[in-house]
Amino acid sequence: MNHATRKLLSRALIVIASIGMLGAFAAPAQAKPKKPSKTKAAKPVAVYPVAGTKFVSNRTTISFRGLNPKKLKLKELKVIGGKTGIHKGKKLRHSDGRGVSFVTRKFAKGETIRVRTKLRIIGAKRGDFKYRVANLTTRDDKALNPNVPPITDGLNSRPDLKPERLDVTAYEAGVSPGKIFYAPKQDGLAIADNRGRTTWWNPTNFDSTGVTLYNFRTQQYRGQPVLTYWKGASSVTGYSQIGSFEILNRKYKRIASFTPGNGYKADIHEFQMTNRNTALVLSYVGVKKDLRPAGGVKNGRLLDNVIQEVDIKTGAVLFEWHSVGNVPITTGVGQVPTDSKSSFDYFHANSIQADGDGYLVSSRRQSSVYRIHRKSGKIHWALAGTGNSRNDFKMGEGTEFGYQHDAQRLPNGDISIFDNSNGRFEPSVFPESSALVLRLSGKGKKRKASLVHRFTHPGDGIVAASQGNAEPLKNGNTFVGWGQPNLMTEFNADGEVVFDASHTGTFIEAINGVNSSYRAYKAPWNGIPQGKPAIASEATDSGAKVWASWNGSQAVRKWEVLTGSNASSLAKVAELDWTDFETEIATPALGSVVAVRALNAAGKQIGQSETVPAGTQDSGQN
């Protein structure tokens, strides 16, 4: 190969190499771009007790809400007590499928509980949070009327019953239909009509132990009307704790009985059902606390209010909030104990209501209503009637209130409050108690409260030192239970009285609220009585008297008396309209046997007593 050929070949190789290098730097063939990852952020989960709660029970369960129960992996959940070490447990699924509780053995008093999760917990850092187990103080709860003997000198047809009766002093056009529900604490549970006549009576000695009764009303549970109340012992401190929340069906049969979760006791002040088939309840818990900031002693005792929403079916706690740690102890009214044995009741919760994504809580000793977020447990706003250091509302003219009960959100968004305002703890805001309706407006720093109504009793300055409630009715009226004074009043939308009544106890006189009805309500009710109508009879100079009753029936409108020589020869000899719990019917002379027949408003027979010998009595109970 000569020089010229070699030179040409060298140039060709250089060109080929250059082309190769250019290819090495050229853009690769375009591939379809990958779609960006759509990994979802973990859904926030609410935990109860709220993360960081300062005082919890040693029997606390840990509830996770907003979580599919399957998503809680026990192997990924670490619960460690500072004294008791690692806690293994089991899952308790909530009946609505929206949460699960971790149930474990008891914790030690005073220890710190550390919880580690791989969840996005509201109010926690990286899913981890802790609690402090309280050193709970004991409570002195004793029944005021233990071992009550059965009544034997009651009605003719029911010697075991002495029903209450309302003294109706006003009954005007415009009064709403429905039945009245009230419970003189030491006497029993009563349902009455607008004329004050009792239609159902369940005395406190129905279990022969003697109990106290609070918060009797009708509510809805699983789509059905039920009767609900608190039943238990009376406390010498005034805050009953030994008891339970009871639910009866339309047949007056108990279908549920429960207490708060996590080892707390059932307090008298609230028992409100929700449309989630759960119950809002509370407990008063004594904890050891330094009370020097409030003017007390270092080793003091403080009453913490525990607010819970309980799954009635499973007993699981779906929400738990504590006043201690959320509301300062320095803003409550009342004398701070200067010894280490008495408890400081600085908050005194007395009503709870579900309110959208939160709860309304009435604090008597703070003269305030708080709205609490359900998920976070944070206070959304405080509405203070008087004296509280926190008030998120500018109060309009006439909106002040004090030491109130029963704060409720109305369907139109207004807030109703029973304003005791009686000067029990400090000078009065108003000279008399009233049912108050406030309208809340604005947001943030522009919130304002305006007066809508203030209903006062037509008597001379009625003052309710304790208890009471105000209930809006469907026809626009307002039904007020005045608590300690043993009065109840219905107002129309213009504030005019269309119904007014009073009641007194039969077992213990209603002095200082001892036997008053904590609240009074009005609502439709159509109970189904158990057993048969009761009957009694006796001969008179002109013929005979027959007494008929049927405890729990709301439908009896007329009684018929049947008599004859035997059960197969009965014939009607008298009739009379239903007049009261027990109706007395004058009749001609009776045959050998007698019975009574109950008719409804349409004249249809709805029940008949046993056929018994004339001159005897039968209670109709199986």
Side-chain angles (χ1 to χ4, degrees):
M1 182 180 297
N2 59 26
H3 177 72
T5 301
R6 287 197 300 272
K7 192 174 183 179
L8 288 172
L9 181 60
S10 177
R11 288 177 178 177
L13 291 171
I14 291 171
V15 171
I16 292 170
S18 298
I19 293 172
M21 291 178 69
L22 288 172
F25 288 100
Q30 292 292 321
K32 292 183 179 180
K34 293 183 178 180
K35 294 182 179 180
S37 175
K38 290 186 177 181
T39 302
K40 292 184 179 179
K43 186 178 179 181
V45 175
V47 65
Y48 306 110
V50 174
T53 298
K54 294 184 180 297
F55 296 107
V56 300
S57 164
N58 66 333
R59 293 170 59 186
T60 287
T61 61
I62 304 170
S63 296
F64 300 87
R65 291 292 291 168
L67 175 72
N68 186 321
K70 295 181 180 180
K71 297 293 184 181
L72 182 68
K73 307 294 184 182
L74 291 181
K75 62 182 179 181
E76 297 176 353
L77 176 65
K78 303 296 182 183
V79 179
I80 306 169
K83 299 178 181 178
T84 53
I86 296 175
H87 280 245
K88 295 182 179 180
K90 60 182 180 180
K91 295 194 294 185
L92 173 63
R93 294 170 180 258
H94 302 165
S95 61
D96 63 1
R98 298 177 183 176
V100 60
S101 296
F102 176 74
V103 182
T104 185
R105 58 190 169 91
K106 289 183 180 181
F107 296 98
K109 293 181 179 180
E111 74 173 338
T112 297
I113 305 171
R114 300 185 184 277
V115 184
R116 299 173 183 172
T117 76
K118 292 186 177 181
L119 303 171
R120 184 182 168 194
I121 301 294
I122 296 173
K125 293 182 178 180
R126 300 183 183 90
D128 300 343
F129 53 94
K130 61 183 180 180
Y131 302 121
R132 180 75 174 174
V133 181
N135 285 309
L136 303 182
T137 59
T138 59
R139 299 293 305 280
D140 187 10
D141 296 309
K142 297 179 181 179
L144 292 178
N145 56 333
N147 300 316
V148 176
I151 293 173
T152 57
D153 60 345
L155 303 175
N156 290 282
S157 59
R158 291 294 303 268
D160 58 328
L161 295 180
K162 277 187 175 181
E164 288 275 328
R165 182 186 172 97
L166 295 178
D167 180 15
V168 178
T169 56
Y171 181 84
E172 308 294 339
V175 65
S176 66
K179 296 296 190 297
I180 297 165
F181 301 80
Y182 66 106
K185 303 183 189 73
Q186 305 298 322
D187 285 348
L189 307 173
I191 302 176
D193 65 7
N194 277 326
R195 298 294 187 179
R197 301 170 296 191
T198 302
T199 57
W200 182 68
W201 176 247
N202 201 8
T204 57
N205 66 350
F206 56 84
D207 60 1
S208 73
T209 60
V211 297
T212 300
L213 304 164
Y214 278 77
N215 261 322
F216 179 49
R217 64 189 298 190
T218 178
Q219 300 193 73
Q220 290 282 319
Y221 179 53
R222 299 192 176 276
Q224 298 297 320
V226 293
L227 298 175
T228 64
Y229 59 98
W230 181 95
K231 167 189 171 183
S234 277
S235 166
V236 295
T237 62
Y239 313 125
S240 298
Q241 295 279 294
I242 300 178
S244 59
F245 304 108
E246 306 289 317
I247 304 178
L248 310 182
N249 62 16
R250 284 183 60 206
K251 295 181 179 180
Y252 306 98
K253 294 295 185 181
R254 186 173 69 179
I255 58 174
S257 177
F258 65 98
T259 60
N262 296 344
Y264 296 112
K265 295 180 180 179
D267 180 74
I268 60 174
H269 287 91
E270 186 60 283
F271 176 13
Q272 187 163 146
M273 312 283 284
T274 75
N275 57 12
R276 301 184 284 270
N277 296 315
T278 62
L280 302 178
V281 298
L282 64 91
S283 186
Y284 279 67
V285 182
V287 298
K288 294 182 179 179
K289 180 74 173 175
D290 185 352
L291 300 181
R292 286 178 296 178
V297 296
K298 180 179 180 180
N299 298 315
R301 294 187 176 189
L302 182 69
L303 287 184
D304 181 18
N305 278 153
V306 182
I307 307 296
Q308 287 188 350
E309 181 172 352
V310 177
D311 182 348
I312 297 172
K313 184 176 181 179
T314 65
V317 176
L318 308 188
F319 174 84
E320 182 174 309
W321 180 90
H322 293 243
S323 61
V324 175
N326 286 293
V327 178
I329 67 171
T330 55
T331 56
V333 296
Q335 186 172 359
V336 183
T338 56
D339 61 79
S340 59
K341 294 183 179 180
S342 303
S343 295
F344 180 31
D345 181 13
Y346 88 107
F347 192 79
H348 196 106
N350 55 29
S351 75
I352 319 164
Q353 183 195 32
D355 186 43
D357 62 354
Y359 303 90
L360 292 184
V361 175
S362 168
S363 167
R364 176 164 162 83
R365 290 294 182 95
Q366 300 285 329
S367 288
S368 296
V369 178
Y370 296 92
R371 189 179 192 278
I372 301 167
H373 275 299
R374 181 184 303 152
K375 289 184 178 180
S376 68
K378 302 291 185 182
I379 294 175
H380 179 204
W381 50 249
L383 173 68
T386 178
N388 197 317
S389 61
R390 174 175 178 176
N391 191 355
D392 297 315
F393 291 83
K394 179 180 179 182
M395 306 300 287
E397 183 178 356
T399 58
E400 296 87 354
F401 58 89
Y403 327 118
Q404 78 292 332
H405 284 76
D406 195 41
Q408 302 291 319
R409 178 84 72 173
L410 304 183
N412 68 350
D414 292 345
I415 302 289
S416 73
I417 296 170
F418 183 79
D419 178 18
N420 294 84
S421 190
N422 62 76
R424 183 173 181 179
F425 308 111
E426 60 185 41
S428 299
V429 180
F430 288 97
E432 57 187 313
S433 302
S434 61
L436 180 66
V437 179
L438 301 180
R439 182 155 297 158
L440 308 184
S441 60
K443 296 181 179 179
K445 295 183 179 180
K446 295 184 178 180
R447 291 190 177 101
K448 181 180 179 181
S450 304
L451 179 66
V452 179
H453 292 296
R454 186 180 288 276
F455 301 109
T456 57
H457 192 270
D460 296 330
I462 293 298
V463 173
S466 66
Q467 310 164 80
N469 69 300
E471 178 190 21
L473 303 178
K474 290 185 177 181
N475 68 344
N477 290 1
T478 299
F479 192 79
V480 179
W482 296 95
Q484 186 181 21
N486 289 327
L487 300 169
M488 54 191 73
T489 308
E490 183 175 337
F491 299 89
N492 65 19
D494 296 325
E496 299 169 334
V497 174
V498 294
F499 174 87
D500 194 43
S502 64
H503 66 90
T504 56
T506 57
F507 183 78
I508 295 178
E509 289 301 318
I511 300 174
N512 295 325
V514 169
N515 206 30
S516 56
S517 183
Y518 174 62
R519 292 172 176 167
Y521 292 95
K522 191 172 189 181
W525 176 253
N526 188 20
I528 302 172
Q530 294 302 290
K532 297 181 179 181
I535 183 174
S537 63
E538 68 176 21
T540 66
D541 293 340
S542 59
K545 288 181 181 179
V546 175
W547 293 273
S549 66
W550 201 6
N551 193 19
S553 175
Q554 312 296 318
V556 179
R557 294 295 178 268
K558 181 175 289 188
W559 289 107
E560 292 182 341
V561 178
L562 312 175
T563 189
S565 59
N566 54 55
S568 60
S569 64
L570 293 177
K572 185 177 76 171
V573 294
E575 65 179 25
L576 188 68
D577 289 344
W578 180 89
T579 58
D580 208 336
F581 188 96
E582 181 178 73
T583 300
E584 180 182 310
I585 310 163
T587 72
L590 298 174
S592 300
V593 296
V594 62
V596 290
R597 184 160 57 195
L599 308 180
N600 63 15
K604 181 181 178 181
Q605 177 178 329
I606 55 175
Q608 183 168 315
S609 71
E610 294 284 357
T611 301
V612 297
T616 64
Q617 177 270 331
D618 182 82
S619 295
Q621 306 302 297
N622 297 327

